[in-house]
Protein backbone atom coordinates (compact mmCIF):
# COMPACT_ATOMS: atom_id res chain seq x y z
CA UNK A 1 0.00 0.00 0.00
CA UNK A 2 1.31 3.43 -0.90
CA UNK A 3 1.24 6.17 1.64
CA UNK A 4 0.02 9.61 0.74
CA UNK A 5 2.71 11.98 -0.46
CA UNK A 6 3.74 14.86 1.76
CA UNK A 7 1.97 18.13 1.28
CA UNK A 8 4.35 20.98 0.50
CA UNK A 9 4.05 22.11 4.14
CA UNK A 10 4.59 18.53 5.34
CA UNK A 11 7.73 18.21 3.22
CA UNK A 12 9.03 21.58 4.44
CA UNK A 13 8.37 20.58 8.05
CA UNK A 14 10.10 17.23 7.52
CA UNK A 15 13.16 19.08 6.23
CA UNK A 16 13.01 21.42 9.22
CA UNK A 17 12.73 18.50 11.66
CA UNK A 18 15.79 16.84 10.12
CA UNK A 19 17.70 20.13 10.36
CA UNK A 20 16.66 20.47 14.03
CA UNK A 21 17.87 16.92 14.74
CA UNK A 22 21.27 17.80 13.22
CA UNK A 23 21.33 21.09 15.12
CA UNK A 24 20.48 19.35 18.39
CA UNK A 25 23.37 16.93 17.96
CA UNK A 26 25.79 19.73 17.16
CA UNK A 27 24.52 21.85 20.07
CA UNK A 28 25.00 18.97 22.50
CA UNK A 29 28.53 18.37 21.24
CA UNK A 30 29.39 22.08 21.36
CA UNK A 31 27.84 22.37 24.82
CA UNK A 32 29.82 19.38 26.09
CA UNK A 33 33.02 20.99 24.82
CA UNK A 34 32.12 24.41 26.20
CA UNK A 35 31.52 23.23 29.79
CA UNK A 36 33.91 20.27 29.96
CA UNK A 37 36.37 22.30 32.03
CA UNK A 38 33.62 22.81 34.61
CA UNK A 39 33.11 19.04 34.89
CA UNK A 40 29.67 19.40 33.31
CA UNK A 41 27.98 17.95 30.26
CA UNK A 42 25.26 19.51 28.14
CA UNK A 43 22.71 17.33 29.94
CA UNK A 44 23.86 18.43 33.39
CA UNK A 45 24.05 22.05 32.25
CA UNK A 46 20.50 21.80 30.91
CA UNK A 47 19.22 20.49 34.25
CA UNK A 48 21.13 23.18 36.17
CA UNK A 49 19.58 25.79 33.88
CA UNK A 50 16.07 24.45 34.30
CA UNK A 51 16.47 24.65 38.08
CA UNK A 52 18.20 28.04 38.06
CA UNK A 53 15.67 29.65 35.71
CA UNK A 54 12.53 28.22 37.33
CA UNK A 55 10.40 30.71 39.25
CA UNK A 56 10.43 28.42 42.30
CA UNK A 57 11.81 25.01 43.28
CA UNK A 58 10.20 22.13 41.42
CA UNK A 59 10.15 18.34 41.70
CA UNK A 60 12.01 16.23 39.14
CA UNK A 61 8.83 15.36 37.21
CA UNK A 62 8.03 19.03 36.62
CA UNK A 63 11.60 19.82 35.57
CA UNK A 64 11.54 16.92 33.12
CA UNK A 65 8.19 17.98 31.68
CA UNK A 66 9.35 21.57 31.24
CA UNK A 67 12.49 20.38 29.43
CA UNK A 68 10.60 17.90 27.27
CA UNK A 69 12.57 14.98 28.71
CA UNK A 70 11.59 11.80 30.51
CA UNK A 71 11.50 11.83 34.29
CA UNK A 72 13.81 8.85 34.69
CA UNK A 73 16.63 10.47 32.74
CA UNK A 74 16.35 13.74 34.65
CA UNK A 75 16.14 11.80 37.94
CA UNK A 76 19.41 10.03 37.14
CA UNK A 77 21.16 13.33 36.43
CA UNK A 78 19.67 14.95 39.54
CA UNK A 79 20.87 12.03 41.67
CA UNK A 80 24.40 12.28 40.25
CA UNK A 81 24.57 16.04 40.75
CA UNK A 82 23.14 15.71 44.27
CA UNK A 83 25.87 13.21 45.10
CA UNK A 84 28.44 15.70 43.78
CA UNK A 85 27.06 18.56 45.87
CA UNK A 86 25.60 20.62 43.01
CA UNK A 87 21.97 20.06 44.05
CA UNK A 88 19.98 19.23 47.11
CA UNK A 89 16.51 17.85 47.62
CA UNK A 90 14.18 19.67 49.98
CA UNK A 91 10.82 18.63 51.41
CA UNK A 92 7.85 19.46 49.23
CA UNK A 93 4.93 20.78 51.31
CA UNK A 94 2.50 19.59 48.60
CA UNK A 95 3.81 16.05 48.14
CA UNK A 96 5.72 13.86 50.59
CA UNK A 97 7.66 11.83 48.04
CA UNK A 98 8.27 14.37 45.24
CA UNK A 99 11.07 16.44 46.79
CA UNK A 100 11.94 19.87 45.42
CA UNK A 101 15.26 20.18 43.57
CA UNK A 102 17.37 23.18 44.60
CA UNK A 103 20.82 24.38 43.55
CA UNK A 104 23.48 24.43 46.23
CA UNK A 105 26.05 27.21 46.39
CA UNK A 106 28.35 25.02 44.31
CA UNK A 107 25.55 24.39 41.79
CA UNK A 108 24.84 28.12 41.46
CA UNK A 109 28.55 28.78 40.90
CA UNK A 110 28.71 26.05 38.23
CA UNK A 111 25.69 27.47 36.41
CA UNK A 112 27.09 31.02 36.57
CA UNK A 113 30.46 29.81 35.25
CA UNK A 114 28.74 27.99 32.38
CA UNK A 115 26.73 31.11 31.57
CA UNK A 116 29.92 33.18 31.43
CA UNK A 117 31.28 30.74 28.86
CA UNK A 118 28.01 30.63 26.92
CA UNK A 119 27.55 34.37 26.42
CA UNK A 120 30.52 35.03 24.10
CA UNK A 121 29.99 31.70 22.36
CA UNK A 122 26.31 32.35 21.60
CA UNK A 123 26.99 35.96 20.61
CA UNK A 124 29.52 34.75 18.04
CA UNK A 125 27.14 32.03 16.82
CA UNK A 126 24.34 34.58 16.36
CA UNK A 127 26.58 37.06 14.54
CA UNK A 128 25.26 37.61 11.03
CA UNK A 129 21.85 36.01 11.65
CA UNK A 130 19.05 38.58 11.57
CA UNK A 131 17.01 39.22 14.69
CA UNK A 132 13.87 38.87 12.57
CA UNK A 133 14.91 35.39 11.38
CA UNK A 134 15.77 34.33 14.93
CA UNK A 135 12.42 35.59 16.24
CA UNK A 136 10.52 33.83 13.45
CA UNK A 137 12.40 30.59 14.07
CA UNK A 138 11.75 30.79 17.81
CA UNK A 139 8.04 31.43 17.15
CA UNK A 140 7.74 28.46 14.78
CA UNK A 141 9.58 26.12 17.16
CA UNK A 142 7.35 27.27 20.05
CA UNK A 143 4.21 26.64 17.95
CA UNK A 144 5.41 23.17 17.01
CA UNK A 145 6.17 22.40 20.67
CA UNK A 146 2.67 23.52 21.67
CA UNK A 147 1.06 21.38 18.97
CA UNK A 148 3.14 18.34 19.91
CA UNK A 149 2.39 18.81 23.60
CA UNK A 150 -1.33 19.10 22.87
CA UNK A 151 -1.14 15.95 20.76
CA UNK A 152 0.78 14.08 23.45
CA UNK A 153 -1.83 15.12 26.00
CA UNK A 154 -4.60 13.93 23.66
CA UNK A 155 -2.79 10.59 23.21
CA UNK A 156 -2.42 10.14 26.97
CA UNK A 157 -6.11 10.88 27.64
CA UNK A 158 -7.17 8.40 24.92
CA UNK A 159 -5.14 5.63 26.59
CA UNK A 160 -6.92 6.52 29.76
Amino acid sequence: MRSKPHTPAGQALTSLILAIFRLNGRLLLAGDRLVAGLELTSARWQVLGAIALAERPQPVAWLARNMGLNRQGVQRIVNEMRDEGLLELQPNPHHRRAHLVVLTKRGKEAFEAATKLQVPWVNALADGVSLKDLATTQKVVAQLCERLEAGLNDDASERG
Side-chain angles (χ1 to χ4, degrees), residues 2-159:
R2 283 189 162 185
S3 62
K4 286 184 169 181
H6 287 95
T7 63
Q11 184 59 50
L13 183 55
T14 298
S15 295
L16 175 61
I17 289 168
L18 294 174
I20 290 172
F21 286 161
R22 285 190 303 275
L23 175 62
N24 183 59
R26 288 179 172 96
L27 285 172
L28 291 173
L29 181 60
D32 286 345
R33 290 177 178 162
L34 193 63
V35 296
L38 303 174
E39 298 182 15
L40 292 175
T41 62
S42 290
R44 288 174 171 221
W45 184 15
Q46 184 179 11
V47 172
L48 284 176
I51 297 164
L53 301 174
E55 292 181 19
R56 61 185 157 284
Q58 299 179 342
V60 169
W62 290 17
L63 292 168
R65 183 192 66 222
N66 292 340
M67 291 187 292
L69 301 173
N70 70 54
R71 186 198 58 76
Q72 294 85 354
V74 174
Q75 184 70 62
R76 180 186 55 78
I77 292 168
V78 164
N79 290 345
E80 290 171 359
M81 289 196 297
R82 181 199 60 212
D83 293 345
E84 295 170 16
L86 296 167
L87 307 175
E88 65 182 20
L89 301 179
Q90 296 179 347
N92 183 343
H94 305 291
H95 194 287
R96 278 187 288 160
R97 292 186 343 174
H99 291 85
L100 302 174
V101 185
V102 179
L103 296 178
T104 62
K105 182 177 185 244
R106 186 169 171 227
K108 289 175 187 173
E109 290 169 351
F111 181 71
E112 288 170 8
T115 300
K116 285 180 183 174
L117 294 172
Q118 188 262 357
V119 169
W121 173 82
V122 79
N123 288 345
L125 187 61
D127 189 38
V129 181
S130 79
L131 288 175
K132 182 181 177 192
D133 287 348
L134 290 171
T136 298
T137 302
Q138 191 281 328
K139 182 179 175 183
V140 170
V141 169
Q143 284 179 314
L144 293 172
C145 283
E146 288 174 12
R147 294 183 85 164
L148 287 168
E149 288 166 2
L152 291 174
N153 291 338
D154 291 346
D155 291 346
S157 65
E158 287 175 12
R159 287 189 297 251

